[in-house]
Amino acid sequence: MSDMQVIKEAVIGGNAAKVKENTEKAVAEGVDVGIILNDGLIAGMNVIGVRFKNNEIYVPEVLIAARAMHAGMAVIKPLIANSGVREKGVVVLGTVKGDLHDIGKNLVGMMLEGAGYRVIDIGVDNAPDKFLKAVQEHNPQIVGMSALLTTTMSHMKATIEHLGAYRDSVKVMIGGAPVTQKFADEIGADAYAPDAATAVEKANQLVAS
Amino acid sequence: MSEMTSYQRCMAAISWQRPDRVPVIPQNSDMAVALSGYDMVECSKDGRKLALAMIECQERFGYDGHMMGPDAAILAEALGCPTEYRPQDPPAVSGPALEKLEDVDKLKPINPYKDGRLPQWLRAIQTLVEKSGEKVFIIGRADQAGFTLAALLRGLEPFLLDIAMGEKLDLVHKLIRFTNECHINLAKAMKEVGAHLTTCGDAFGGPSIVGPDVFRDYVFPYEKEASRIIRKDIGIPYSIHICGKTDAIQEQWVETGADVFEVDHLTDIRQLRRLSLGRTSILGNLNTDMLAAGTPQEVETACRELFDVMLPDSGFILSSGCSMLADSKPENLEAMVEAARRYGAYGNGGVR
């Protein structure tokens, strides 16, 4: 098995110590940071995303894989700035006002990071103004909003309206258990993702459009 | 057959006898509070007000039962989780109670008559019993079941990592045993104040979060234990709510012996019906989004589709799949009640 294959498999298996050790080894051997990132860490999270989407694995397995990915990211992060590796894009991510459930949002964040995006996680219970402030501060390509409760998803529409003129430069992606494509269309969101793996696909489409 | 009271109709449904028609119990206490003019904070802290709001709503729409909720924070709060109160939404847990798994040893079992807001919930049921008596069916919520309550106390992600890492599984089980006891204590109090059925939420234990293997080892044994104690020893029918997906666990879920499963529109209702027929009744599973923003015609159609799956068997209560939005259209709730009256009759042909 190649070194990158070892890192990839260790991410999939959620073995943080092994990911860290082999990432350090690859760096010491002079392997390009972009290759470690894309062929090792991201490749592993891609497999996790597909398996999660297909109900072959569940949230605990994603959490443990993301933890392993972060162990590798921590090793290469200081080297990325000088490596010529560019982030795919910036995503501001949060749950909407009233919603304290963050598991779905966190999974999306992990998968987006695992796909090469820089994620600005603004946490839970964000009023429309908090999303706007984060957009002004971080200049993202995408805003991701999550709601796990039927009772809070109505705040998504208010947030989209509140972004006002920024909507020209920022795409809005939404998700969460009660959210549907129909609802996304109704409130004028640019994309709906039913799960964390699809969120990555949709983000890729949004930044390419 | 002469018309039954709402109470008789619901009892018939959950005990696989023949009701005159399908009973309706919406999960609409948010809506009841909103329509009453009280705000959610005062109703969360004053069980009598919550009950009065629910009674007013039931009398207006004429459905068959009161389902308290969906405050899913009350046991977690009584056990030390920080909790946020919001004017329009029910209280919600905003952080864990345990810094580390070892802190399970510091937890003290709850007393529903003393701790936190639990006495207010008992007061709500007492008020419902006083006012609605044996006419309307009363569901007393025993909050979250063992697995989900344990996840709230520990924090969902750390808890799932504890399980995935597999290093302190004895403490994980110790925590779930403890939280399951708290849940059972509350169920017992619900029986004592006069509820006709007690229910719980265990959504973190379903396949929207964990797989069938975690369900088998960490969720199922505790649900089964709670079901046995609550039904046999305490003597009150028992219902379990898992919203989100349930298809991958249904076969084992039926073995809990619960009287009722509450599921939402993400469940394959035909498969669940086939697996649970004659054993566990189903309460559900209209899409709450449709109830909030759809049309009465859409609601009627969805109800009739459900009746096609469920009837002519007993063991079915028409409901929303989860908690209805506070600002759901009243005409949609009317359409739901009307659909049961118009199309949900069992007739004289008997029940399979």
Side-chain angles (χ1 to χ4, degrees), chain A residues 55 58-61 63-64 67 98-103 106 110 125 149-153 155 177-178 180 182-183, chain B residues 30 84 86 89 92-94 156-157 160-161 164-165 207-212 245 248 266 288-289 323-326:
Chain A
N55 294 326
Y58 297 84
V59 177
E61 294 81 10
L63 292 177
I64 201 169
R67 189 172 154 277
D99 211 315
L100 305 179
H101 297 80
D102 62 359
I103 185 79
N106 295 350
M110 288 167 204
D125 194 15
L149 303 175
T150 50
T151 47
T152 54
M153 61 192 249
H155 297 304
T180 58
K182 185 164 167 271
F183 179 74
Chain B
D30 282 13
E84 286 192 13
R86 296 90 52 92
D89 303 307
V93 170
S94 58
L156 178 57
E157 282 179 40
L160 296 178
L161 276 172
M165 306 287 287
S208 285
I209 304 288
V210 299
K245 302 170 194 167
L266 297 173
T288 47
D289 189 20
S323 181
M324 286 172 68
L325 274 167

Side-chain angles (χ1 to χ4, degrees), chain B residues 14-28:
Chain B
I14 65 166
S15 51
W16 297 91
Q17 306 295 308
R18 188 177 69 190
D20 53 350
R21 63 162 171 81
V22 169
V24 184
I25 307 180
Q27 299 170 51
N28 67 335

Side-chain angles (χ1 to χ4, degrees), chain A residues 32-51:
Chain A
D32 183 72
V33 172
I35 289 176
I36 299 174
L37 184 66
N38 289 313
D39 299 352
L41 302 173
I42 291 180
M45 286 306 283
N46 280 343
V47 173
I48 287 291
V50 171
R51 290 186 185 171

